[in-house]
Amino acid sequence: MNDSVRVRFAPSPTGGLHLGGVRTVLFNYLFAKHNNGKFIVRIEDTDQSRYVPEAEEYIFNCLNWVGLQPDESPIHGGDYGPYRQSERKEIYKKYAEQLVRDGFAYYAFDTQEELEKMRQDFKTTHNHSQQYDHSVRMKMKNSITCSTEEVNTWLKEGRSHVVRIKMPKHENVSFKDMIRGEVHFDTSVVDDKVLLKADGMPTYHLAVVVDDYLMKISHVFRGEEWLPSAPVHILLWKYLFGIDAMPQWAHLPLILGPVGKLSKRDGAKHGFPVFAMNWTDKNNSEKTEGFKEKGFLPEAFINFLALLGWNDGTEKELFSKQELIQNFSIDRVHAAGAKFDYEKAKWFNHEWIKRLELIELKSKVKDFFSAQQFEINDSTFLEKVIELVKDRCTLLTDFYPQSIFLFETPTQLDIASIQPKWDNKKNIFFTEWILQLTEMINWDATYIEENFKALTNLHNIKTGDLLLPLRIMLVGGKFGPPVFQVAALIEKKETIKRIENALKLFNS
RNA sequence: GGCCCGUUCGUCUAAGGGUUAGGACACCACCCUUUCACGGUGGUGAUACGAGUUCGAAUCUCGUACGGGCUACCA
């Protein structure tokens, strides 16, 4: 449809990658791929105080895990680099100065203390926090209020200063959002945002406009939290590159937690992950659990994320990445925020565990066993195990408890649930069954079951009364696949061994 | 406080003037299952409120209420 589609995800390397961040990546990616366009990742590392060195690598690891690979990025290369804003510092400075020259921005020399004083002085019951805007601009220390000589001297002295945009008074700025339609702002209520900080780094507002222009970004998908600063960006586009060159905007609905915008805290409080992968905060060693380690499949993860704010208009809910690419369209993204539902997320995962190719599932299950210090070598056996238990596994972490007894003898038996009804009659039955099992030649589930039932008849005991004891003997608890299939899988020798051991325990 | 965005079952959503307001998750009941699940059938459950436009409004308009976001030399 359009081969000049270029979109970008622009994370700030300050910590773990949030659910909402991944959803933004997803919509960018799907839009790009649907339109044969390019998906770019740009690192917005302009805040030196919040910069976390490990975060960038972590972000790319997450993208790798979910399978949303960038076409261009600091590590994938590309023709529009550098892709880290810290490496583009000089570029922004040039544009900031151009804006000052053209009268769209100005130097401001106010110290932190002076800013604080201003906010206090102008604070009223009706104005919680006074902005640095047209109403106070003339009372502050900047290149509009001070003489040219003064300003030049300060500049020469290297006095600490920022560049601020000069918001026009009473101008209507509007643009067409792809999701929300026309959105209007009165520039009088927008403040004179800082464009270039005292350390020479740009703020987001300047950098985003400059880089989107230089990197030829055609469409911008970002979270709804950016909507209020859109007028600043629109004006910068107008001043710097012309409104015709401006990309199309789409402000994505927020992903909500139990109270407001979903946060890391919500996850900790309610026991669900919020980050894509495990993240450890180096400062306080605080660990935050990720969807990957929690046992989610990337297929399920992107599937439920896509359905948070988008649907294809049919009742279809299960989409592979390819299907998402094919069917995605921005006009089916809706405007209201979506509350994250962990139960539904788990349902998606369960569905994907059931439908994923055995080969792919196998290696993941193996990894989760390794995480429990248990190495699986017999791949064919593992396949049988997966087929047998996958219906009972919602998360990949469930495979271990749901099938470990197929690999090794259970150490803990739930004796309590059979003890009250255990008697010598049952003991005699099992003792005799062991003898029959020893003679058995056809070791398969149906055959074992038939044999078992025949013997219960002979002993005049209800089969149902013996099934649970057998299950506890072989599995250890009241769960798991059909008990004769368990016996078939663990083989004759092990079955007999487990019954013998359990018998000793039950009778003591 | 100001500005901006939003509002259909508890949750995710369909229905773009005419439907008994549909589906999915969760929940409940029954069936299947001599365990636990899967699966199957059915059920509870929603258009925030008030005006207007219209023969007819969940759908268009306005107001109110409520929810959310922003209001940093953070993104």
Side-chain angles (χ1 to χ4, degrees):
Chain A
M1 155 186 169
N2 184 353
D3 53 18
S4 61
V5 165
R6 292 174 57 83
V7 302
R8 85 298 189 284
F9 174 59
S12 178
T14 53
L17 184 60
H18 190 273
L19 211 66
V22 182
R23 211 269 311 256
T24 305
V25 173
L26 220 211
F27 283 18
N28 269 288
Y29 181 92
L30 296 178
F31 183 82
K33 295 302 155 189
H34 183 87
N35 295 298
N36 294 315
K38 292 273 192 287
F39 169 56
I40 294 123
V41 170
R42 179 173 72 219
I43 300 294
E44 309 224 330
D45 53 350
T46 54
D47 186 349
Q48 294 169 331
S49 63
R50 293 205 307 156
Y51 180 70
V52 177
E54 308 79 35
E56 182 183 312
E57 193 190 349
Y58 165 90
I59 288 166
F60 284 108
N61 285 342
C62 290
L63 297 187
N64 189 40
W65 175 61
V66 294
L68 304 176
Q69 294 294 356
D71 298 300
E72 300 169 24
S73 88
I75 63 168
H76 296 81
D79 298 335
Y80 298 85
Y83 292 91
R84 282 186 200 95
Q85 292 183 331
S86 59
E87 294 166 16
R88 306 168 62 83
K89 207 172 159 182
E90 290 313 307
I91 303 175
Y92 309 115
K93 191 167 193 279
K94 190 187 95 189
Y95 286 106
E97 277 163 5
Q98 180 188 325
L99 286 165
V100 174
R101 262 202 322 277
D102 295 346
F104 297 125
Y106 57 91
Y107 297 112
F109 299 90
D110 316 275
T111 63
Q112 289 301 332
E113 293 72 35
E114 286 166 335
L115 287 173
E116 189 48 39
K117 184 173 186 301
M118 176 274 282
R119 287 187 190 113
Q120 284 304 318
D121 290 353
F122 289 90
K123 196 167 149 185
T124 65
T125 42
H126 294 295
N127 190 355
H128 291 174
S129 141
Q130 174 62 48
Q131 303 191 115
Y132 198 121
D133 61 18
H134 66 91
S135 69
V136 299
R137 181 155 69 210
M138 297 313 286
K139 301 177 178 112
M140 303 302 286
K141 196 185 293 175
N142 53 51
S143 61
I144 301 174
T145 57
C146 302
S147 72
T148 317
E149 296 80 57
E150 229 173 349
V151 170
N152 283 339
T153 315
W154 289 340
L155 252 24
K156 218 168 284 171
E157 285 171 358
R159 186 162 179 159
S160 179
H161 67 277
V162 300
V163 173
R164 285 180 183 273
I165 186 171
K166 185 180 171 189
M167 285 309 273
K169 203 177 166 183
H170 282 311
E171 205 172 284
N172 188 276
V173 173
S174 66
F175 72 98
K176 191 164 187 244
D177 187 274
M178 283 186 272
I179 296 170
R180 283 149 224 284
E182 280 300 307
V183 185
H184 304 265
F185 298 89
D186 178 352
T187 54
S188 295
V189 298
V190 183
D191 61 335
D192 288 358
K193 289 263 182 265
V194 170
L195 265 20
L196 204 66
K197 301 187 259 190
D199 64 4
M201 281 288 191
T203 59
Y204 173 83
H205 304 106
L206 210 218
V208 73
V209 171
V210 169
D211 287 345
D212 283 349
Y213 170 74
L214 261 16
M215 296 181 182
K216 295 195 162 58
I217 300 304
S218 61
H219 304 260
V220 175
F221 302 93
R222 50 157 40 163
E224 191 190 342
E225 72 265 30
W226 291 108
L227 205 44
S229 55
V232 178
H233 310 320
I234 308 284
L235 248 25
L236 286 175
W237 269 98
K238 190 172 148 192
Y239 298 155
L240 253 15
F241 311 114
I243 221 79
D244 294 338
M246 192 169 74
Q248 282 190 261
W249 306 93
H251 290 89
L252 271 20
L254 258 21
I255 296 179
L256 274 12
V259 283
K261 192 160 78 160
L262 182 69
S263 75
K264 192 174 75 173
R265 279 257 153 272
D266 294 325
K269 194 172 167 191
H270 297 92
F272 57 76
V274 169
F275 287 164
M277 289 167 65
N278 277 2
W279 172 257
T280 307
D281 189 328
K282 280 262 165 75
N283 291 321
N284 52 17
S285 301
E286 191 191 1
K287 286 190 175 68
T288 310
E289 195 175 34
F291 278 89
K292 176 175 184 245
E293 292 81 1
K294 187 79 182 176
F296 277 82
L297 290 165
E299 288 82 357
F301 189 51
I302 61 170
N303 194 163
F304 83 73
L305 242 24
L307 274 283
L308 237 35
W310 173 86
N311 71 83
D312 75 341
T314 73
E315 280 168 3
K316 185 175 164 73
E317 291 195 283
L318 263 15
F319 292 88
S320 68
K321 190 171 89 174
Q322 277 316 313
E323 290 172 318
L324 286 173
I325 292 170
Q326 257 169 45
N327 296 305
F328 186 77
S329 99
I330 196 69
D331 31 71
R332 289 210 61 93
V333 175
H334 71 165
K339 202 176 281 187
F340 170 64
D341 181 357
Y342 188 49
E343 292 306 318
K344 184 91 186 229
K346 284 196 290 192
W347 175 79
F348 274 105
N349 206 56
H350 194 187
E351 292 302 311
W352 273 99
I353 283 180
K354 287 189 281 180
R355 69 178 8 221
L356 201 67
E357 293 290 333
L358 194 54
I359 298 186
E360 290 175 58
L361 202 50
K362 207 161 67 175
S363 73
K364 310 228 175 193
V365 170
K366 235 171 136 172
D367 290 344
F368 275 86
F369 267 81
S370 298
Q372 299 289 328
Q373 328 298 332
F374 190 93
E375 296 306 323
I376 295 173
N377 301 313
D378 189 341
S379 178
T380 323
F381 185 68
L382 177 57
E383 282 180 18
K384 290 184 194 160
V385 169
I386 290 176
E387 288 300 353
L388 197 57
V389 305
K390 68 178 182 182
D391 281 356
R392 284 150 234 267
C393 296
T394 301
L395 298 169
L396 290 170
T397 46
D398 293 335
F399 277 95
Y400 183 85
Q402 285 293 342
S403 65
I404 182 63
F405 55 85
L406 295 168
F407 295 93
E408 55 179 26
T409 315
T411 50
Q412 296 285 322
L413 302 191
D414 179 8
I415 302 173
S417 53
I418 55 117
Q419 195 84 309
K421 289 187 175 175
W422 185 253
D423 56 26
N424 200 40
K425 244 181 112 181
K426 292 178 181 171
N427 183 35
I428 292 168
F429 168 87
F430 278 105
T431 312
E432 195 178 325
W433 196 44
I434 289 172
L435 260 31
Q436 298 213 0
L437 290 179
T438 315
E439 307 287 305
M440 203 174 281
I441 298 158
N442 292 330
W443 194 259
D444 73 80
T446 17
Y447 192 75
I448 302 168
E449 182 170 357
E450 279 168 14
N451 177 276
F452 184 85
K453 285 182 175 167
L455 193 62
T456 56
N457 271 338
L458 220 61
H459 280 245
N460 213 5
I461 309 179
K462 274 188 283 179
T463 311
D465 292 344
L466 292 167
L467 242 22
L468 189 62
L470 180 61
R471 169 167 298 279
I472 301 295
M473 289 169 172
L474 301 188
V475 175
K478 288 194 275 188
F479 64 96
V483 70
F484 295 105
Q485 298 212 34
V486 172
L489 257 190
I490 62 176
E491 298 296 344
K492 181 156 122 181
K493 200 176 142 199
E494 176 68 14
T495 304
I496 293 172
K497 189 183 115 194
R498 289 189 192 184
I499 297 173
E500 282 174 341
N501 288 344
L503 242 29
K504 280 181 213 153
L505 268 171
F506 292 177
N507 293 325
S508 62

